[in-house]
Amino acid sequence: MIPKTLLFSVVALTLAGCRNWLVEEPQSFFTPDDFPTTEADLRIALGGIDDWYTGGQSQAYFHRGWPMLAEVPSDQTVAQSASDSRYAQDSYTLNASNEWLWRVWRQIYGAINQANVLIARIPQMTQVSQDVKNRYLGAFKFHRAFNHFNAVRVWGSVPLMMRPTTEFATATQITRAPIAEIYDSIALDLEDAATLLPLRWPDAATPDDGRPSRGAANAMLADVYLNMSGALVQENHWADAARAAKAVIDSKAYSLVLNFADLWLIKNKNGPEHIYSIQFGGLKRNLFTSQSRPSGIGVESGINYWYSTPDFMTTFSDSDARKKPTFLTQVTVGTTTYRYDTLPGFFGDKRPRFPKPMPYYGKFYDANGSIANNNGRTDLNWPIYRYAEVLLMFAEAENEANGPTADAYSAINQVRARAKLPALAGLSQDQFRDAVHQERSWELAFESKRLFDLKRWGTFYSVLSQDPVAKIGIKDFMVFLPIPQREIDLNPVLGQNTGW
Amino acid sequence: MGQANIDNNTATTWLVENTATLHRALGKQHDLTLLGGFTAQQTDNGANSSQGVGFTSDLLGYQRLNLADLVTGSSNATRQRVLSYLGRVNYSLAGKYLVTGTVRADGSSKFAANNKWAVFPSAAVAWRAGDEPFLRRLIPVVSELKLRLSAGSTGSNAISTYQSLAAWNVGAPYAIGTTSYFNGATLSRITNPNLRWETTVQYDAGVDLGLFGNRVTVTADAYDKTTKDLLYAKQVPYLVGFASYVTNIGRVRNRGLELAVDTRAARGGLEARLGGNVSFNRSKVLDLGGDKQFFLTGSNTSLPRWENDVIVQVGQPLGNFYGYVWDGIFQSSAEAAASGQAGAVAGGDKLRDLNGDRKIDSNDQTILGNAQPRYLFGLTGSVTYGRLSLSVLVRGALDFQVVNVSRAGMETPGGSSNMLTSVLNYWTPTNPTNAMTALNVSPFDGLTSRWVEDGSFVRLQNVSVQWDVPERLGARFGMRRLRLYLSGQNLLTATRYSWYDPEVSSRGTSDLTLGWDDSNYPGTKIVTIGASVGF
């Protein structure tokens, strides 16, 4: 009778002696050998890119981090606090260790690397049809371009990452690329994407469902060409910008929503005017609604991170249909009405830092979302491009390329008509340019456009040195923010932007 | 509204250890023991969880998770295996000269394909000098003397599974239009084909001395341990798409001395023992693979803006805290404005400008303290009289610091959450304190010396009393043997540390992140009363 222990030991020793016994075989994650191989795999990989936009530590990108770099430092938004990292951005007293720099940078490059892995992988996939490959290749090129576009507008010269990372030894030799080269690469990616992407995905209910479409690629392309033609790159691409915007207009896939206030309701998300929006819903709900909601107003209170200025509000004409939905001046909760500027129920800044009371954002607020009950989060999407912006981009580009033509007037007047403002006519090229600039500030308020507009128009320093908060620290080299200190500590060849 | 979660975790381990021993005594002088064997081990971990969000009512609690509007679930599984072959030789000559040699080969599934195995040999010699004829004459004064020398290596595979493999993680939530999904794939790792065992080589020299018929025993050991290929998550710049990767970095050395003295006395029915031990340890980072230093970046405490607060530097020990020096409170707006510190206000934290450049930036940060005690000691005593015995253990650690993150979150005068009573001393122009900020002014949002405290302590670790009940008493209850005892643990601690317990480790047990108190659950005082019964 063989003792059990001896038997077990022999079995164990035999098993253990198998060469493969110590090889790790993952049970609940994929390795690049087996993922992605099917169309369904590509769908979840594309969904995963969205996680870089909506996830991350501290709501790093399209909740809080992005407006921190792209909106708060502008002249239309003021940070509520007077002493923390948000204030440092608003007052240009930040340094390279400011947390929002590395938080956004991390999300940007995480998304870029994932896009690169898929761009390299898709051509090698054999189980997927060419149609499907084209769509997804277009989508990932769009994401690679989108993130580089965000980075180059914030930091100027940044690393241009066009290949997936396969090892870390050379991470300390990666240098920053010249701005013009980055823009060329972005434009090329978007031109490709515009060809590869459909107007609407086959299973999509609306042209904008969060996945990049041809309209989204062309809208972004117009924006990119406008930036390349601007003060920081100075290459003449006005005609290209007009062409890209016209492609969106001529596709007839989008139209302006009649009532401006309707654009900001959850039930109207992904509507006829939305071209590309970051999607929220399910377990991923956005925080940005409550960021410009005042505190101290009962169940509709938000976290009171920033608000707008009365000076900006007075630039709107009272007949502008956008004025009321753009600013929050009054909230009624039950039987109590709170106003931004009068007692009782005053929800303005209780420790006033400014001579006049500050109105809050009216955009991004859906009166049906009970903020307090949902941990301050709602299902509203973040609109990146709306058809109204495409019309304004076309008007601006057409004016620069060919003077104020009938097409240019038609585009800007559609936006003005929706806002119930009188049509423009008989302007010189300079006057038309100023009119478009002004219209953009009204139409796209708080949508993280203004700061980049000032940068590309060359008026960044002249405007912000008059802003009561920005002028505290602003210098003209601050048109580009500092490269995050952590990156330079870990990769010294990056170097820092001039002046920081 | 509301959310409920059900989480299940399972861990299954099997272990097979088989050894064969051969013992031979050759003549009167030689004694030889040989041992050989192998061990194999596997651990399977599994987890699954379900979550419901948006319950229509809370009457059913989590017992009906699918009452929620949105129910999601997830699961995962991991497996790890270790295989080892080992052998040992013990040889003694004349009972006085002892030699031991061991070798083991360990293989762990966690390492990369060509690095799964490593060999760890060791050797030791000892000389029972007290048994030598020329020293026997010293008996009973020198009743025992043994000299020891050893050298050996051991390995560690204390990392998570699969770190050498590239990975796509699944489970990110995303939305397409109005439909939500929960299976987004995100790239989380690339391969690390060089991931291998962490090895520690240790040299030790020791003496065991017995005096006065072993009524006094002294043990002393000196050691030198060098760990190379430390397993650690090394930071990489975010621009490559990742934050860190697990790899082998650098070398660290620990050197020290351990001393223990034990005494015994007996007279009549009374027997007493008293002993003490003390150890000194110094650690030093020798090499970081070409880097001079690195910081632990990202936030790792409950205060999300505390970053770069641990520094690992060549030439320094592990466990250093890094931050600004706190210099009290700004007493006036003029002082604040003249300081060059961004965001300075009267009544706010003042930081020291170490390099005098009228700016507060990373050049003004320095090492604020270290978590590793310079001295560890213990005292034991016991007294036995007949059937009653009493024993006491005191232990302590001296000369180390702790970062009190808990206090940092509770000293904002006027803050909306619970604060310490020390905030009542908030700064005002008429209360020019240097200890607390002004109303509604938070402390500086980063590690400063304000939160670094001396953690030295002496602790009454254990007191116990034991009584062997006389047999005739116990026999009344049919017990052959009855022993009653009362003991207390962690009864008293003497320390200047202001929070619950200076022996804390909120940031895990890695040597790099010792000494952080982030609302750590303190050690508890336990009093036990019990009986041991034999029938």
Side-chain angles (χ1 to χ4, degrees), chain B residues 314-325:
Chain B
V314 174
Q316 282 282 326
L318 292 179
N320 274 340
F321 316 126
Y322 195 70
Y324 295 103
V325 177

Side-chain angles (χ1 to χ4, degrees), chain A residues 273-349:
Chain A
E273 187 172 335
H274 291 116
I275 299 180
Y276 179 62
S277 315
I278 307 291
Q279 307 285 310
F280 288 91
L283 289 180
K284 198 53 89 51
R285 313 178 75 221
N286 82 66
L287 189 64
F288 59 78
T289 296
S290 70
Q291 281 168 166
S292 178
R293 299 277 301 154
S295 51
I297 54 170
V299 296
E300 290 299 308
S301 297
I303 55 182
N304 195 19
Y305 270 9
W306 45 68
Y307 33 64
S308 186
T309 70
D311 292 340
F312 178 48
M313 194 163 69
T314 53
T315 64
F316 282 72
S317 131
D318 281 335
S319 52
D320 190 333
R322 298 170 294 204
K323 185 171 186 176
K324 204 153 169 296
T326 298
F327 294 95
L328 187 71
T329 53
Q330 178 171 306
V331 177
T332 302
V333 182
T335 53
T336 323
T337 296
Y338 300 88
R339 274 199 60 84
Y340 81 110
D341 56 354
T342 55
L343 297 157
F346 164 56
F347 65 66
D349 200 350

Side-chain angles (χ1 to χ4, degrees), chain A residues 432-492:
Chain A
F432 191 92
R433 177 187 304 127
D434 289 343
V436 173
H437 288 188
Q438 184 62 269
E439 202 65 40
R440 280 183 70 94
S441 83
W442 290 328
E443 177 68 35
L444 305 171
F446 316 139
E447 293 178 48
S448 295
K449 307 281 178 183
R450 173 67 172 176
L451 185 66
F452 299 131
D453 282 349
L454 292 178
K455 291 186 185 187
R456 69 184 174 85
W457 293 333
T459 52
F460 169 82
Y461 185 69
S462 56
V463 168
L464 288 172
S465 54
Q466 308 303 314
D467 177 82
V469 181
K471 74 179 183 199
I472 293 174
I474 194 165
K475 311 237 180 355
D476 57 9
F477 63 80
M478 296 183 179
V479 70
F480 294 129
L481 290 184
I483 306 293
Q485 188 61 42
R486 177 193 190 274
E487 300 297 288
I488 299 179
D489 287 341
L490 291 168
N491 179 7

